[in-house]
Amino acid sequence: MALKKKPVTGMKDMLPREMQIRDYVIRLIKETYGTFGFSSIETPCVEHIENLSSKQGGENEKLIFKILKRGEKLKLDTAECEADLVDGGLRYDLTVPLSRYYSNNVSELPSPFKALQMGNVWRADRPQRGRFRQFMQCDIDILGEPNNLAEIELILATTTLLGKLDFKNFTVRINDRKILKAMAAYSGFEEKDYDDVFIILDKMDKIGLDGVEKELQEHGYPKEAVEKYLQLFKEITNDIEGVRYCKEKLEGYLEEATADGLEMIIASVDSVKEADFKLSFDPTLVRGMSYYTGTIFEIAMDEFGGSVGGGGRYDEMIGKFTGQPTPACGFSIGFERIVMLLLERGYEIPDNKEKLALLIEKGMPQEKMLEVLAFAKEQRAVGKQVMLSIMKKNKKFQKEQLSQEGYTEIKEFFK
Amino acid sequence: MALKKKPVTGMKDMLPREMQIRDYVIRLIKETYGTFGFSSIETPCVEHIENLSSKQGGENEKLIFKILKRGEKLKLDTAECEADLVDGGLRYDLTVPLSRYYSNNVSELPSPFKALQMGNVWRADRPQRGRFRQFMQCDIDILGEPNNLAEIELILATTTLLGKLDFKNFTVRINDRKILKAMAAYSGFEEKDYDDVFIILDKMDKIGLDGVEKELQEHGYPKEAVEKYLQLFKEITNDIEGVRYCKEKLEGYLEEATADGLEMIIASVDSVKEADFKLSFDPTLVRGMSYYTGTIFEIAMDEFGGSVGGGGRYDEMIGKFTGQPTPACGFSIGFERIVMLLLERGYEIPDNKEKLALLIEKGMPQEKMLEVLAFAKEQRAVGKQVMLSIMKKNKKFQKEQLSQEGYTEIKEFFK
């Protein structure tokens, strides 16, 4: 039977050129996050279907690749619904598995625990350009650290990495869910409406201040509240001054510690940052995931329309699973987007490895062959990449191909 | 709802200690195989169920994790059999996906193509000690190279890697399917019985020469054939002399080129090998997979009962899928077994990275905090691994923990 040649819908084969970039970025991530004390961990790609359907994943739970029960557990004839047939699924993110991992292994892990996870996740999204159904996620999380040292370290580690990949002039937007709420409360919105208000606020990027005002009014929120709310956004600046303004203006609605913490984070990162980027206080930053409880952040790059990473504090999630309240904060970078940007700009890996091709005439006698092999061994031992090939009839074409692959030095051996 | 804490049956969470070894071995594999000119590639973990059920996978096809169709394609109420419900599965090896990959991308790949694949595969095997349902495979394959330069390079690359991991005194057993067949033919077995004879021969390790003789007799094969067959194994030595003996003795049953090729491989590897191992001609080596067409090899290590890697030539497999005959030869190492052996022997990663922990008293004022952060930045920039932690009440215990994690240098900062 003929094989289906294409990969399954929405997934892709990685060609050598892309893999070179991926491998390089992976190496750099492990190295850079390593200097910050993050430890690599891994969880299985398959998770219990119950864990994946626990309402932590929001919309992603609709996109699960589900796995059929096996052997005697599979009772096809009596199955009435999906749940009778399925016992696992491919993970759709790395955060739910991290929570399971932490609760399963907490006794063997240091506290706080700084975890680095790189792994594929799967979502049965509608396929579209640049978006795949299998993609690599790269998360760093600090579990058990309530202090905002966690935020500082996460932002420094992530931006140091991006700097090493020659990304410049990007912005890390930061906000705090508590500021979001205080601003809504101060303006006079009712608590039950907060989430809807934030959904509209989240469109600021696209529809602007006027658009947000219009939508809020259309939703029938009190005119006074809408005006007061909008005025705030006009007055708050995107820097430490903006944070201080919030602290003063929102007195009674916002704990001082929240504003002080944010100020501390911004001042610290600004003072010691390695990469060329701006840490910008952005009171319009919402981030969809409802599990965030404190700081939230997102990386914006002009080259790329949307976000290339983000994260925040989720102090309640792990506790929900384990029963043990555990402060947690994480930062995820968009690995696939970063690789795409690097590929698009023709990124050259800083790789000094010399590439040498040895062409061997067919029918080379044993003795001479051993000489060639010994030469190859010698060159490899000093770190060169050596390609041994049998000489082809069309040697010119063969040499062209090899030089395209980066083999700039080519030696020929005749029998 | 409480989360299920354990990983799904038969799969495992990777703790930091194991991950360090895994990451190190992966890095070493990419680096070592890189110097031999192998290019990393990757295929999706999910494959078309048709490709996985194409009879190339033998017993593994019974162990597939199958994936439910999604959305409108899933018609639970009218489904009568599994095939109505399933459209994909998790790959059980990397060879079937490689064949698909090669046929899908051949126009963009060099010829011959030297591929390195590292990736997880899944088999719903009965769980047992040291065997998992998700495990990493690591394959190198040379596609489009009929010359036994392929075998030489595969064996040299694999053994060089094992040498770098401090494995010594191991054996690479080599044989050729054509020699297996010639020996059976010479002895007088019928062609239809070859596979059954080889299944018995494959037990030589466990039941010895007498055991094999007994089983062959019990199967009712002609006494004369059995005796002639056994006599061969007594006479053939495990070296080049053994190959030469076969060439002479099996004249008329074995092509001279087969024996000459094997001699060439053994002589070449012996002459230039890097690691401390023995390449041993072993006429009893069978290897189960029926797709092998020529040379076959396997790594035996005393420390580990069974094989820690193997491979061979499969010149017909890719052609079956693509219609284009393509010579192919591959060598797979047992990544999980190697990691297990390294863990068991307490392998220390050759890693000169200094580890420094900075303990910060709680409530550190902004100014002093910036000094600590600046110091950490400086130390990280020169490659040190720096852990920033808030000082705990039980500082003694905290410091003990940190030194257990390898932070030999600990500095304290007070407010």
Side-chain angles (χ1 to χ4, degrees):
Chain A
M1 189 190 64
L3 191 80
K4 283 194 175 185
K5 289 190 180 188
K6 298 278 166 213
V8 298
T9 313
M11 302 191 192
K12 75 169 176 174
D13 286 336
M14 302 290 176
L15 287 168
R17 162 83 186 133
E18 176 165 354
M19 278 303 291
Q20 268 182 16
I21 301 261
R22 297 175 79 88
D23 280 349
Y24 174 72
V25 176
I26 290 170
R27 214 162 62 227
L28 202 65
I29 288 172
K30 300 239 176 198
E31 189 186 295
T32 306
Y33 289 165
T35 67
F36 281 81
F38 288 92
S39 302
S40 286
I41 65 158
E42 233 178 74
T43 65
C45 300
V46 181
E47 268 293 336
H48 302 285
I49 195 70
E50 299 89 336
N51 291 354
L52 295 176
S53 318
S54 62
K55 304 270 181 284
Q56 296 297 317
E59 288 299 298
N60 292 333
E61 297 195 355
K62 297 180 189 157
L63 306 174
I64 302 172
F65 283 91
K66 291 172 184 156
I67 290 172
L68 215 61
K69 290 181 183 175
R70 293 148 306 282
E72 286 168 15
K73 287 179 187 163
L74 180 65
K75 293 183 179 115
L76 215 82
D77 41 339
T78 60
E80 283 173 9
C81 63
E82 232 181 71
D84 295 330
L85 295 170
V86 165
D87 62 354
L90 294 177
R91 61 186 178 200
Y92 52 73
D93 76 1
L94 300 178
T95 308
V96 170
L98 175 66
S99 304
R100 187 195 53 66
Y101 177 95
Y102 189 71
S103 66
N104 187 34
N105 300 292
V106 65
S107 65
E108 294 181 66
L109 300 172
S111 171
F113 180 52
K114 296 170 92 169
L116 161 60
Q117 292 185 92
M118 307 201 66
N120 284 315
V121 302
W122 291 262
R123 296 179 193 168
D125 245 328
R126 199 170 317 148
Q128 49 184 300
R129 204 192 89 80
R131 262 177 107 167
F132 293 94
R133 289 179 161 197
Q134 170 179 315
F135 57 98
M136 174 87 96
Q137 276 205 336
C138 173
D139 289 11
I140 42 177
D141 291 89
I142 305 184
L143 309 180
E145 178 59 85
N147 193 289
N148 50 41
L149 180 60
E151 281 88 343
I152 295 169
E153 287 273 271
L154 289 168
I155 297 171
L156 286 176
T158 304
T159 54
T160 300
L161 170 74
L162 291 174
K164 285 188 185 172
L165 287 168
D166 290 346
F167 287 105
K168 295 188 186 91
N169 291 318
F170 57 92
T171 305
V172 176
R173 302 158 68 201
I174 188 167
N175 194 13
D176 194 302
R177 284 233 145 209
K178 291 172 190 152
I179 292 181
L180 267 181
K181 285 181 185 170
M183 286 174 74
Y186 164 86
S187 306
F189 291 102
E190 288 180 59
E191 199 170 343
K192 67 169 175 54
D193 296 328
Y194 287 179
D195 280 342
D196 292 330
V197 171
F198 298 157
I199 287 171
I200 296 168
L201 178 64
D202 202 19
K203 300 183 190 170
M204 186 74 90
D205 272 2
K206 285 176 199 138
I207 61 176
L209 213 58
D210 293 343
V212 169
E213 184 171 9
K214 208 177 141 218
E215 279 208 29
L216 287 172
Q217 283 168 350
E218 283 170 4
H219 268 72
Y221 297 118
K223 193 162 183 281
E224 202 191 353
V226 174
E227 268 171 21
K228 216 171 158 187
Y229 197 48
L230 270 291
Q231 191 58 33
L232 276 179
F233 290 105
K234 284 175 193 158
E235 284 166 12
I236 298 172
T237 52
N238 292 124
D239 52 12
I240 285 196
E241 287 309 317
V243 179
R244 290 188 188 138
Y245 178 91
C246 285
K247 180 175 164 183
E248 211 173 299
K249 192 88 172 182
L250 304 176
E251 209 193 317
Y253 300 91
L254 181 68
E255 281 180 54
E256 281 195 8
T258 301
D260 288 346
L262 200 52
E263 189 179 328
M264 171 83 152
I265 293 168
I266 297 175
S268 300
V269 170
D270 269 343
S271 154
V272 296
K273 68 185 181 186
E274 186 90 24
D276 175 14
F277 73 99
K278 202 173 154 240
L279 181 58
S280 165
F281 169 53
D282 189 340
T284 70
L285 180 68
V286 175
R287 287 191 68 77
M289 302 293 258
S290 59
Y291 58 64
Y292 289 120
T293 57
T295 47
I296 42 180
F297 21 82
E298 203 167 278
I299 307 169
M301 258 180 217
D302 283 346
E303 295 175 74
F304 187 84
S307 139
V308 292
R313 188 167 273 283
Y314 53 103
D315 282 347
E316 285 164 17
M317 182 170 178
I318 292 183
K320 262 185 200 160
F321 285 134
T322 63
Q324 283 289 86
T326 306
C329 196
F331 207 146
S332 176
I333 52 164
F335 180 88
E336 301 291 345
R337 285 170 196 189
I338 285 165
V339 168
M340 202 185 75
L341 287 172
L342 292 175
L343 272 169
E344 279 175 7
R345 63 159 87 152
Y347 185 77
E348 289 289 332
I349 294 167
D351 170 16
N352 302 318
K353 195 170 275 180
E354 281 179 67
K355 293 185 177 178
L356 167 65
L358 308 183
L359 295 189
I360 304 165
E361 198 182 4
K362 222 172 163 177
M364 177 78 72
Q366 174 77 24
E367 220 171 292
K368 278 200 145 185
M369 186 69 178
L370 294 187
E371 282 172 31
V372 181
L373 288 168
F375 178 69
K377 174 187 177 178
E378 202 179 273
Q379 298 295 306
R380 283 165 178 162
V382 298
K384 279 195 198 175
Q385 175 171 327
V386 182
M387 174 66 82
L388 280 179
S389 300
I390 302 295
M391 220 175 266
K392 287 187 188 171
K393 277 182 194 152
N394 190 342
K395 197 167 68 178
K396 188 160 167 278
F397 178 71
Q398 186 180 18
K399 286 162 90 171
E400 276 169 18
Q401 267 211 325
L402 283 165
S403 77
Q404 267 175 31
E405 286 174 65
Y407 292 94
T408 41
E409 200 187 340
I410 301 178
K411 275 190 191 296
E412 300 175 34
F413 295 85
F414 300 96
K415 63 183 174 187
Chain B
M1 187 191 64
L3 191 80
K4 284 196 173 181
K5 289 189 180 185
K6 297 278 165 212
V8 298
T9 313
M11 303 192 192
K12 76 169 176 175
D13 287 336
M14 301 290 174
L15 288 168
R17 162 83 186 132
E18 175 165 353
M19 276 304 290
Q20 269 182 17
I21 300 258
R22 297 176 78 89
D23 280 349
Y24 173 71
V25 176
I26 290 172
R27 215 162 61 229
L28 201 65
I29 287 173
K30 299 237 177 200
E31 191 186 293
T32 307
Y33 288 165
T35 66
F36 282 82
F38 287 92
S39 301
S40 285
I41 65 158
E42 233 177 75
T43 66
C45 300
V46 182
E47 267 295 336
H48 302 285
I49 194 71
E50 299 89 334
N51 291 354
L52 295 177
S53 319
S54 61
K55 306 266 183 284
Q56 296 297 315
E59 288 299 298
N60 292 331
E61 297 196 356
K62 295 179 190 156
L63 307 173
I64 302 173
F65 283 92
K66 290 171 185 160
I67 291 173
L68 215 61
K69 291 181 182 177
R70 292 149 307 281
E72 289 170 14
K73 285 180 189 161
L74 180 65
K75 292 181 183 121
L76 213 80
D77 41 340
T78 59
E80 284 173 11
C81 63
E82 235 183 65
D84 295 330
L85 295 169
V86 164
D87 62 354
L90 295 176
R91 60 185 179 198
Y92 52 75
D93 76 1
L94 300 178
T95 307
V96 170
L98 176 67
S99 304
R100 187 194 54 64
Y101 178 96
Y102 191 71
S103 67
N104 188 32
N105 300 293
V106 65
S107 65
E108 295 181 64
L109 299 173
S111 172
F113 180 51
K114 296 171 93 169
L116 162 59
Q117 291 185 92
M118 305 200 67
N120 284 314
V121 302
W122 292 263
R123 295 180 194 166
D125 245 324
R126 201 170 316 151
Q128 48 184 300
R129 205 191 88 83
R131 262 178 106 168
F132 293 94
R133 289 179 162 195
Q134 170 179 317
F135 58 97
M136 174 88 95
Q137 276 205 334
C138 173
D139 289 11
I140 41 177
D141 291 89
I142 305 183
L143 309 181
E145 178 60 84
N147 194 289
N148 50 37
L149 180 59
E151 280 87 342
I152 295 169
E153 287 274 89
L154 289 168
I155 297 170
L156 286 176
T158 304
T159 53
T160 299
L161 170 74
L162 292 174
K164 285 188 183 173
L165 287 167
D166 290 346
F167 287 105
K168 294 187 185 93
N169 291 319
F170 57 91
T171 305
V172 177
R173 302 160 66 199
I174 189 167
N175 193 10
D176 194 302
R177 284 235 145 208
K178 291 175 192 149
I179 292 180
L180 268 180
K181 286 184 185 167
M183 285 173 74
Y186 164 86
S187 305
F189 291 101
E190 286 180 61
E191 198 168 345
K192 68 171 174 53
D193 296 327
Y194 287 177
D195 280 342
D196 292 330
V197 171
F198 298 156
I199 288 171
I200 296 168
L201 178 64
D202 202 17
K203 300 182 190 170
M204 185 76 86
D205 271 1
K206 285 174 200 138
I207 60 176
L209 213 58
D210 293 343
V212 169
E213 185 171 8
K214 207 175 141 221
E215 279 209 28
L216 287 173
Q217 281 166 350
E218 282 169 7
H219 268 72
Y221 297 119
K223 192 160 181 278
E224 201 193 354
V226 175
E227 268 171 23
K228 215 170 161 190
Y229 197 48
L230 270 292
Q231 192 55 34
L232 277 179
F233 290 105
K234 285 175 194 158
E235 283 167 12
I236 298 172
T237 52
N238 291 124
D239 52 12
I240 285 195
E241 288 310 317
V243 179
R244 288 190 190 137
Y245 177 92
C246 286
K247 182 175 162 182
E248 210 174 299
K249 192 89 173 178
L250 305 175
E251 210 194 315
Y253 298 92
L254 181 68
E255 280 180 52
E256 281 196 8
T258 302
D260 288 346
L262 199 53
E263 189 179 329
M264 170 82 151
I265 294 167
I266 297 174
S268 301
V269 171
D270 269 342
S271 153
V272 295
K273 68 184 179 184
E274 186 90 23
D276 175 14
F277 73 99
K278 201 175 153 234
L279 181 58
S280 164
F281 169 53
D282 189 341
T284 70
L285 180 67
V286 174
R287 287 191 67 76
M289 302 294 256
S290 59
Y291 58 64
Y292 290 119
T293 56
T295 48
I296 43 182
F297 22 83
E298 203 166 279
I299 307 170
M301 260 180 217
D302 282 346
E303 296 175 69
F304 187 84
S307 139
V308 293
R313 187 167 274 282
Y314 53 103
D315 282 346
E316 283 163 19
M317 182 170 180
I318 293 183
K320 260 184 202 163
F321 284 135
T322 63
Q324 282 290 86
T326 305
C329 195
F331 205 146
S332 177
I333 52 164
F335 181 87
E336 302 290 345
R337 287 170 194 189
I338 285 166
V339 167
M340 202 185 76
L341 287 173
L342 292 174
L343 273 168
E344 280 175 7
R345 64 159 89 151
Y347 185 77
E348 289 290 331
I349 293 167
D351 170 17
N352 302 315
K353 197 170 275 180
E354 282 178 65
K355 292 185 177 179
L356 168 65
L358 309 183
L359 295 189
I360 305 165
E361 197 181 5
K362 224 174 163 174
M364 178 78 73
Q366 175 76 29
E367 221 170 288
K368 276 200 148 183
M369 185 70 179
L370 294 186
E371 280 172 33
V372 181
L373 286 168
F375 178 68
K377 174 187 176 176
E378 205 179 85
Q379 298 295 305
R380 283 165 178 162
V382 299
K384 279 194 199 175
Q385 176 171 328
V386 182
M387 174 66 82
L388 280 179
S389 300
I390 303 296
M391 218 174 269
K392 288 186 188 172
K393 278 180 194 154
N394 189 343
K395 198 167 66 179
K396 188 160 167 276
F397 179 69
Q398 186 178 18
K399 285 162 89 169
E400 277 169 17
Q401 267 211 324
L402 283 165
S403 77
Q404 268 176 28
E405 287 175 65
Y407 292 94
T408 41
E409 200 186 342
I410 301 179
K411 274 187 191 298
E412 299 175 33
F413 295 86
F414 300 95
K415 62 183 176 186

